[in-house]
Amino acid sequence: MTEVDQAAPTGPRLRAAGPGGRFGRLGEVRHLGLVAALVLLAIVGLVTRPENFATSSNMVSILALASTIGVITVGMTFVIIGGGIDLSVGALMALASVWATTLATQSYGPVVMIACAVLVGTGAGLLNGILIAYGRMVPFIATLAMMVAARGLAQRMSNQRTQLVHQDNSMIVSLSTTRVLGLPLLVYVFALVVLLGWLVLNRTTFGRRTYAVGGNPEAARLAGIDVRRHTLLLYALSGLCCGIAAVLIMARTTTGSSTHGDLYELDAIAAVIIGGTLLSGGRGTIIGSILGLLIFTVITNLFILNGLNTADQLIAKGAIIVAAVLLQRRSLRTPT
């Protein structure tokens, strides 16, 4: 029996793992459940804090907070669907923000600052991809090492000080202060990244290959996909999203700091899991991840409005993650 004959039986399995098979239908049902959860959280907010929750300023605050983590979540969705994990995203965002706000970089103006943040994020993501795809390192270990190194480099570059965005570079700050139809520009940047991510994942060969690589790397290889190169590109994409997120957090805080993005990797991974993406890869959606992110963001907002402390927030988030994983396992055991 030839290699092609051996690979043939895996074809339907790979297609089913994508957005159009049984898992695709399960994803649609899950999306409805996530929307219902958001509605329930909104009702809780209206009941507990009607004078604060439903205000336009609070809604804008929720979207602005979701925007930075949301861009990272898009990249994380690609990586996890492709069978990987990226623990370095928060540290890469911090490193990109520090590098872009150094005196030398700021002297060239806002365009160079933005380009610097994007290039630093993408370059670090490429390094992750090289270590994992060609160095055959376990993604958990490679990105954990990058997380520690990137955070340390950011501290070294900034001398552990917060670097302010100069007034001459107000174009970056305007992403947060300028509003169109009541929403800051950074929300539109987030929406554009989500749209592009959805199109790439669902309407391009790259997206189909991502599902294939995550679902069965060996079958993908036999089908002619360069698995190592594709893995490299997935981590570069995640790094690119970190660079964009760095620009957004510079706009929101008017600073670059080595403390930016602390625990963002956990929030992004949790949002992806809640959205229905399998940690083992091969299944997931951008829409589900964003709905999961919004649920987390609204929960955080409700805790703040009701005066609950950070410890309670972390406990609640942990319980939600456990429930989401158990629900995933139950859905996978459901007979076809």
Side-chain angles (χ1 to χ4, degrees):
M1 184 179 293
T2 64
E3 287 185 339
V4 175
D5 292 331
Q6 291 175 344
T10 65
R13 182 179 172 188
L14 290 176
R15 288 193 294 272
R22 177 175 70 89
F23 287 153
R25 293 190 293 273
L26 286 174
E28 293 174 1
V29 174
R30 191 181 188 89
H31 291 171
L32 292 176
L34 293 172
V35 171
L38 274 174
V39 172
L40 180 61
L41 288 172
I43 293 173
V44 172
L46 291 172
V47 171
T48 59
R49 282 292 183 270
E51 71 281 3
N52 301 119
F53 181 78
T55 63
S56 59
S57 61
N58 189 55
M59 294 297 105
V60 170
S61 177
I62 290 173
L63 290 175
L65 178 61
S67 296
T68 305
I69 305 178
V71 172
I72 291 176
T73 300
V74 171
M76 186 70 75
T77 302
F78 276 89
V79 169
I80 295 181
I81 291 177
I85 195 77
D86 192 348
L87 300 179
S88 66
V89 289
L92 293 189
M93 187 186 74
L95 177 61
S97 73
V98 166
W99 208 316
T101 53
T102 59
L103 292 175
T105 305
Q106 291 206 54
S107 65
Y108 289 100
V111 175
V112 173
M113 290 176 65
I114 293 172
C116 176
V118 171
L119 289 174
V120 168
T122 305
L126 278 171
L127 182 55
N128 275 335
I130 291 171
L131 293 174
I132 294 165
Y134 295 95
R136 300 188 182 279
M137 291 185 67
V138 177
F140 181 90
I141 299 300
T143 58
L144 178 63
M146 178 62 75
M147 177 183 73
V148 176
R151 189 73 70 178
L153 181 57
Q155 293 175 355
R156 187 68 176 270
M157 292 185 67
S158 63
N159 290 321
Q160 298 186 351
R161 298 177 180 176
T162 299
Q163 300 175 165
L164 298 178
V165 176
H166 297 168
Q167 293 182 350
D168 295 340
N169 300 312
S170 59
M171 186 182 84
I172 291 178
V173 179
S174 67
L175 291 174
S176 179
T177 57
T178 302
R179 298 197 176 191
V180 177
L181 300 177
L183 295 175
L185 292 178
L186 61 85
V187 175
Y188 291 99
V189 174
F190 167 48
L192 179 61
V193 171
V194 171
L195 176 60
L196 291 175
W198 185 89
L199 289 173
V200 170
L201 189 60
N202 294 278
R203 294 291 184 268
T204 68
T205 302
F206 184 87
R208 291 190 292 274
R209 289 178 176 175
T210 300
Y211 283 109
V213 169
N216 192 326
E218 181 60 19
R221 185 186 67 81
L222 294 174
I225 299 174
D226 189 334
V227 175
R228 291 192 298 179
R229 184 179 66 181
H230 193 83
T231 300
L232 174 68
L233 293 176
L234 286 175
Y235 283 94
L237 177 60
S238 179
L240 171 63
C241 290
C242 293
I244 297 172
V247 176
L248 298 186
I249 203 165
M250 286 190 296
R252 280 183 52 224
T253 65
T254 69
T255 64
S257 173
S258 60
T259 61
H260 282 333
D262 188 32
L263 296 182
Y264 272 25
E265 58 278 355
L266 300 184
D267 287 342
I269 293 171
V272 172
I273 295 172
I274 292 173
T277 299
L278 287 181
L279 274 174
S280 57
R283 179 187 123 183
T285 64
I286 294 292
I287 300 302
S289 296
I290 298 307
L291 288 173
L293 170 70
L294 291 175
I295 287 174
F296 257 62
T297 308
V298 172
I299 288 174
T300 300
N301 182 258
L302 288 176
F303 272 66
I304 293 173
L305 292 179
N306 286 280
L308 299 175
N309 60 40
T310 304
D312 293 330
Q313 294 181 38
L314 296 176
I315 293 171
K317 288 181 178 181
I320 293 171
I321 293 171
V322 171
V325 172
L326 291 176
L327 182 61
Q328 276 189 5
R329 295 181 62 182
R330 183 176 179 181
S331 66
L332 288 175
R333 288 197 301 265
T334 302
T336 55

